[in-house]
Amino acid sequence: MEVAVIEGGFVVAGVALEYVQLGWAAIQAIRRWLRGMISGRSAARAVANGSTRAIAGGAIGGAGGAAAGALIGLIFGPIGALVGAGIGGTVGAIGGAAVSLTEALEDFIFDEDPDDAPATAYDFFGVHPRCSNDRINRRYRELSRRYHPDRGGSEEAWHKLQTALAVIRDDRRC
């Protein structure tokens, strides 16, 4: 459903934008950056850390798994040691992922002037800034199918999509 405006400028019906799949703290950081309250690096870090916090609970479990694997290695030999090493390596990779995601988000949008961010976000979506919310929602769903990590996309591209949608949502509030 498109926005319908009757005589006198009253909005009859409207279409809301899709829900951003970022945490509340990440969305607030994007809004603070857009208003010049924090640096782009801080905002990028908040978005990246918000995504890795969900993984962090698994990291704690992974550290326990690595210790258990090492113990199994003592008891059962090299296979247990390999299991422990694999789990420990996975846990170590999570910390590095947050740093590279922060850098990717900075390069994508947070290194520029916050006033230019909406144009970058609309370009990422491939839509015109004056298009309808319905068009943005359809494009978001298309890009979600392409960029979601469970469908062969990368974590970096998925977070760029979520960040772009958060910027567009904020731009349309003004």
Side-chain angles (χ1 to χ4, degrees):
M1 178 177 11
E2 296 292 325
V3 173
V5 179
I6 60 173
E7 221 171 288
F10 294 103
V11 175
V12 175
V15 175
L17 288 175
E18 292 284 337
Y19 178 74
V20 178
Q21 296 184 13
L22 292 173
W24 182 83
I27 292 170
Q28 292 303 313
I30 292 169
R31 288 182 181 154
R32 288 193 314 268
W33 170 70
L34 287 169
R35 286 159 183 73
M37 298 166 70
I38 63 172
S39 70
R41 183 155 186 80
S42 295
R45 206 174 302 132
V47 173
N49 288 341
S51 69
T52 57
R53 277 197 190 112
I55 300 170
I60 293 169
L71 180 61
I72 291 171
L74 288 173
I75 298 170
F76 295 105
I79 292 176
L82 287 174
V83 169
I87 293 171
T90 302
V91 171
I94 291 170
V99 171
S100 65
L101 182 58
T102 299
E103 291 170 357
L105 289 171
E106 279 186 70
D107 290 343
F108 167 59
I109 204 163
F110 292 115
D111 267 349
E112 61 187 57
D113 187 318
D115 293 336
D116 297 333
T120 300
Y122 287 113
D123 286 347
F124 183 81
F125 265 66
V127 298
H128 192 275
R130 288 185 301 228
C131 73
S132 68
N133 285 354
D134 187 52
R135 174 69 183 119
I136 291 171
N137 288 339
R138 281 182 291 165
R139 187 66 179 143
Y140 171 77
R141 287 191 284 283
E142 291 170 15
L143 294 172
S144 291
R145 286 189 292 274
R146 182 183 310 162
Y147 294 139
H148 196 283
D150 291 346
R151 293 182 163 234
S154 70
E155 192 77 20
E156 178 182 316
W158 177 249
H159 281 85
K160 286 180 180 180
L161 175 63
Q162 298 306 314
T163 301
L165 183 59
V167 169
I168 290 171
R169 285 178 62 93
D170 189 82
D171 183 55
R172 293 202 167 213
R173 285 182 186 204
C174 299

